[in-house]
Amino acid sequence: MVEALAVQLTQREGELIQEKAEVKKLANFLKQASQDAKKLVDEERAFARAEIENARAAVQRVEEALQEHEKMSRATGKQDLEELMKEVQEARRIIMLHQPSK
């Protein structure tokens, strides 16, 4: 009976050693997966930061273009107003020249 228990104990030790090796392999696999996931997250984070910076730069360019457009519109509008005022003054002068004196 003691021999049977010794054989069972030896078998159980062998199973435990095998399970320990499997657990070690699984732990290494999970550690590698965790490192890979962290690397992937860092890469995606860097990509997202670059995209955000590109978007900010694009917004800045659009804002600058809008400001330039508004500035040009105001300058053009002011020029148009000045030209219109000159035309009105010329028209008044012509009307005054063609009106009979009283």
Side-chain angles (χ1 to χ4, degrees), residues 83-99:
E83 289 175 16
L84 187 59
M85 288 181 70
K86 284 180 185 176
E87 287 180 28
V88 167
Q89 287 174 352
E90 182 67 17
R92 285 180 180 163
R93 189 183 68 77
I94 292 172
I95 290 172
M96 292 294 283
L97 287 174
H98 290 81
Q99 279 186 348

Coordinates of all heavy atoms in Angstrom, one line a residue, residues 83-99:
E83 N -15.3 104.8 -54.4 CA -15.6 105.0 -55.8 C -17.0 105.4 -56.0 O -17.3 106.3 -56.9 CB -15.3 103.7 -56.6 CG -13.8 103.4 -56.8 CD -13.6 102.0 -57.4 OE1 -14.5 101.5 -58.0 OE2 -12.5 101.5 -57.3
L84 N -17.9 104.8 -55.3 CA -19.4 105.2 -55.4 C -19.6 106.6 -54.9 O -20.3 107.4 -55.6 CB -20.2 104.3 -54.5 CG -21.7 104.4 -54.6 CD1 -22.2 104.1 -56.0 CD2 -22.4 103.4 -53.6
M85 N -18.9 107.1 -53.9 CA -19.0 108.5 -53.4 C -18.5 109.4 -54.5 O -19.1 110.5 -54.8 CB -18.3 108.7 -52.1 CG -19.0 108.0 -50.9 SD -18.2 108.3 -49.4 CE -18.4 110.0 -49.1
K86 N -17.4 109.0 -55.2 CA -16.9 109.9 -56.3 C -17.9 110.0 -57.4 O -18.1 111.1 -58.0 CB -15.5 109.3 -56.8 CG -14.4 109.6 -55.9 CD -13.1 109.0 -56.4 CE -11.9 109.1 -55.4 NZ -10.7 108.5 -55.9
E87 N -18.5 108.8 -57.7 CA -19.5 108.8 -58.8 C -20.7 109.7 -58.4 O -21.2 110.5 -59.3 CB -20.0 107.4 -59.1 CG -18.9 106.6 -59.8 CD -19.4 105.2 -60.1 OE1 -20.7 105.0 -60.2 OE2 -18.6 104.3 -60.2
V88 N -21.1 109.7 -57.2 CA -22.2 110.5 -56.7 C -21.9 112.0 -56.8 O -22.6 112.8 -57.3 CB -22.7 110.1 -55.3 CG1 -23.6 111.1 -54.7 CG2 -23.3 108.7 -55.3
Q89 N -20.7 112.3 -56.4 CA -20.2 113.7 -56.5 C -20.1 114.2 -57.9 O -20.5 115.3 -58.2 CB -18.8 113.9 -55.8 CG -18.9 113.8 -54.3 CD -17.5 113.8 -53.6 OE1 -16.5 113.7 -54.3 NE2 -17.5 113.9 -52.3
E90 N -19.6 113.3 -58.8 CA -19.6 113.6 -60.2 C -21.0 113.8 -60.8 O -21.2 114.8 -61.6 CB -18.8 112.5 -61.0 CG -18.6 112.8 -62.4 CD -17.7 114.0 -62.7 OE1 -16.9 114.4 -61.8 OE2 -17.8 114.5 -63.9
A91 N -21.9 113.0 -60.4 CA -23.3 113.1 -60.9 C -23.9 114.4 -60.4 O -24.6 115.1 -61.2 CB -24.1 111.9 -60.4
R92 N -23.7 114.7 -59.2 CA -24.2 116.0 -58.6 C -23.6 117.2 -59.4 O -24.3 118.2 -59.7 CB -23.9 116.1 -57.1 CG -24.7 115.2 -56.3 CD -24.4 115.4 -54.8 NE -25.3 114.5 -54.0 CZ -25.0 114.2 -52.7 NH1 -23.9 114.7 -52.2 NH2 -25.8 113.4 -52.0
R93 N -22.3 117.1 -59.6 CA -21.6 118.2 -60.4 C -22.2 118.4 -61.8 O -22.5 119.5 -62.2 CB -20.1 117.9 -60.5 CG -19.3 119.1 -61.0 CD -17.8 118.7 -61.1 NE -17.6 117.7 -62.2 CZ -17.6 118.0 -63.5 NH1 -17.8 119.2 -63.9 NH2 -17.3 117.1 -64.4
I94 N -22.4 117.2 -62.4 CA -23.0 117.3 -63.7 C -24.4 117.8 -63.7 O -24.8 118.7 -64.5 CB -23.0 115.9 -64.4 CG1 -21.6 115.5 -64.7 CG2 -23.8 115.8 -65.7 CD1 -21.4 114.0 -65.1
I95 N -25.2 117.4 -62.7 CA -26.6 117.9 -62.5 C -26.5 119.4 -62.3 O -27.3 120.2 -62.9 CB -27.3 117.2 -61.4 CG1 -27.6 115.7 -61.8 CG2 -28.6 117.9 -61.0 CD1 -28.2 114.9 -60.6
M96 N -25.6 119.9 -61.5 CA -25.5 121.3 -61.2 C -25.1 122.1 -62.5 O -25.6 123.2 -62.7 CB -24.5 121.6 -60.1 CG -24.9 121.0 -58.7 SD -26.3 121.9 -58.1 CE -25.6 123.4 -57.5
L97 N -24.3 121.5 -63.3 CA -23.9 122.2 -64.5 C -25.0 122.3 -65.5 O -25.1 123.2 -66.3 CB -22.7 121.4 -65.2 CG -21.4 121.5 -64.5 CD1 -20.3 120.6 -65.2 CD2 -20.9 123.0 -64.5
H98 N -25.9 121.3 -65.5 CA -27.0 121.3 -66.5 C -28.3 121.9 -66.0 O -29.3 122.0 -66.7 CB -27.3 119.9 -66.9 CG -26.2 119.3 -67.8 ND1 -25.0 118.8 -67.2 CD2 -26.0 119.2 -69.1 CE1 -24.2 118.4 -68.2 NE2 -24.8 118.7 -69.4
Q99 N -28.3 122.4 -64.8 CA -29.5 123.0 -64.3 C -29.5 124.5 -64.7 O -28.4 125.1 -64.6 CB -29.6 123.0 -62.8 CG -30.1 121.6 -62.2 CD -30.3 121.7 -60.7 OE1 -29.9 122.6 -60.1 NE2 -31.0 120.7 -60.2

